[in-house]
Amino acid sequence: MPLIDNAFTTLLGLRHPLIQAPMAGGATTPELVAAVSNAGALGSFAAATLSPAAMREGVARVRALTERPFNVNLFILDDPAPSDEEVARAQARLDPLRAELGLPPGSRPARFCEDNRAQIETLLELAPPVVSFTFGILDAATLARFHQAGCLVMGTATTVAEAQAWEAVGADLVCAQGGEAGGHRGTFLGDPQQACIGLMALLPQLAAAVNIPVVAAGGIMDGRGIAASLLLGAQAAQLGTAFLCCPESGIPALWKEQILAARDDSTRLTRAFSGRFARGIANDFMRRLAAEEDQVPAYPVQNALTGDIRQAATRQGRSEYLSLWAGQGAAMARPLPAAALVQVLMTELAACRA
């Protein structure tokens, strides 16, 4: 029997009103996804930076490890076409950092991201039980194709207007992303900074404005946060940073160390790494580009340009150059196996409801 029997758990056939957030860049290994799903929650595989071949391989691995429902997430992106001058200016800002890491000056990459349309077509082919999207919104025709393939569709919203837009095109679920959330902001309508609304303020307004189940995300790290989200109108909670320190998580050890050493005020929003506002643990890279971060190219261009720096930082154990994405609750992280963490979270939730 599910601990919480509501529209979300019924729709997905889950025991727990809990989603492990999709976090691009290798964090959400198939092993993490499957462990969460096998524990009765919804594991999420982040495919946004993967090629179609890697998507197929990752989803096949998840399916080999679990028979339970799982989610696959993609970004929604336009094809980037920056000018050579824009790229050269951006590289000039980054080259001093490259020199400190022993890297050569940057040049124009052969490509800035995977072909988003090819990724979407691949996801339709793979047809996982749940698909989710951020950075934009699907058109109604494409969303209907996912329904025809048997997928439930969840969109990311940082404002009431974005949630209503997702409902209008036929989404089954909407994830309300509060400003506390780690990683990239999902904003696609209006001013990204004005859309950085705290979850406690956003959630009740958003839940009252739509008629589809709402998932709460942003700064939730324990059962108390899940209970509060349910009280404010959510049907489930999505936790990302809480799962980053699990042994199944694929992030580097030095990133986990920084999360476990974090304080309540350790994170901030930045465009410096990727060209899109994202929340991570403040470090030298953020501080040194802070004065110019409003000038960096938009995602995915800046993200591609900083890729060699982040890869070298990982190899060299230099966390001051790494994008240490984490939410405002990072200091509450617990380095537990994923299944054990799900159980602890549900025990805490049950205690709040007793």
Side-chain angles (χ1 to χ4, degrees):
M1 287 290 292
L3 174 62
I4 305 292
D5 192 3
N6 62 21
F8 173 83
T9 55
T10 299
L11 187 64
L12 278 74
L14 302 177
R15 295 197 299 275
H16 306 311
L18 173 65
I19 301 175
Q20 160 256 310
M23 295 170 283
T28 56
T29 63
E31 290 72 21
L32 175 63
V33 176
V36 172
S37 289
N38 286 333
L42 185 70
S44 299
F45 183 64
T49 61
L50 301 182
S51 68
M55 290 174 63
R56 294 186 184 96
E57 181 181 351
V59 170
R61 178 63 177 159
V62 173
R63 284 184 160 136
L65 295 171
T66 185
E67 296 180 352
R68 302 292 302 158
F70 64 95
N71 168 43
V72 178
N73 176 266
L74 285 179
F75 299 158
I76 297 176
L77 297 172
D78 295 326
D79 293 333
S83 67
D84 288 342
E85 183 181 1
E86 182 182 19
V87 171
R89 287 197 303 267
Q91 296 288 37
R93 295 186 195 99
L94 297 170
D95 281 344
L97 299 171
R98 289 191 176 93
E100 293 170 14
L101 290 164
L103 296 173
S107 58
R108 187 182 180 98
R111 64 180 179 183
F112 295 96
C113 63
E114 295 293 334
D115 182 328
N116 192 229
R117 193 67 236 179
Q119 290 178 315
I120 290 172
E121 292 299 322
T122 302
L123 191 56
L124 281 160
E125 167 199 321
L126 294 170
V130 183
V131 295
S132 65
F133 299 91
T134 191
F135 292 12
I137 187 167
L138 288 178
D139 60 89
T142 302
L143 194 145
R145 292 177 65 200
F146 277 104
H147 283 163
Q148 292 163 6
C151 307
L152 294 170
V153 179
M154 179 166 66
T156 303
T158 61
T159 63
V160 168
E162 290 177 346
Q164 291 172 324
W166 271 110
E167 183 177 36
V169 296
D172 303 285
L173 306 151
V174 64
C175 180
Q177 186 192 40
E180 306 92 333
H184 285 97
R185 304 292 299 149
T187 304
F188 61 91
L189 295 176
D191 183 341
Q193 295 194 67
Q194 194 169 350
C196 192
I197 306 164
L199 185 62
M200 185 171 288
L202 174 64
L203 184 53
Q205 296 180 77
L206 192 151
V210 297
N211 295 308
I212 55 177
V214 174
V215 175
I220 306 169
M221 299 292 291
D222 61 11
R224 296 173 299 172
I226 299 171
S229 298
L230 298 176
L231 186 63
L232 289 171
Q235 300 270 313
Q238 178 172 283
L239 283 62
T241 305
F243 286 96
L244 282 178
C245 292
C246 293
E248 299 94 338
S249 163
I251 67 172
L254 73 164
W255 186 349
K256 295 183 180 182
E257 292 166 5
Q258 291 293 313
I259 291 172
L260 293 172
R263 305 182 308 270
D264 60 323
D265 62 349
S266 289
T267 71
R268 56 157 285 194
L269 289 169
T270 183
R271 291 185 71 248
F273 282 106
S274 73
R276 173 177 276 267
F277 279 110
R279 182 176 295 282
I281 295 172
N283 60 7
D284 286 348
F285 187 103
M286 287 189 198
R287 286 185 280 270
R288 290 171 63 176
L289 269 71
E292 299 177 286
E293 68 177 279
D294 62 338
Q295 302 171 40
V296 305
Y299 191 98
V301 175
Q302 179 74 356
N303 192 64
L305 299 184
T306 62
D308 61 334
I309 294 172
R310 290 178 282 118
Q311 291 162 13
T314 300
R315 292 193 301 269
Q316 298 178 27
R318 305 283 294 275
S319 62
E320 66 268 33
Y321 299 94
L322 194 61
S323 51
L324 303 166
W325 303 139
Q328 287 185 326
M332 301 167 66
R334 295 171 282 196
L336 297 171
L341 180 57
V342 170
Q343 184 56 56
V344 167
L345 290 166
M346 291 304 101
T347 299
E348 293 170 346
L349 174 59
C352 290
R353 296 172 63 84

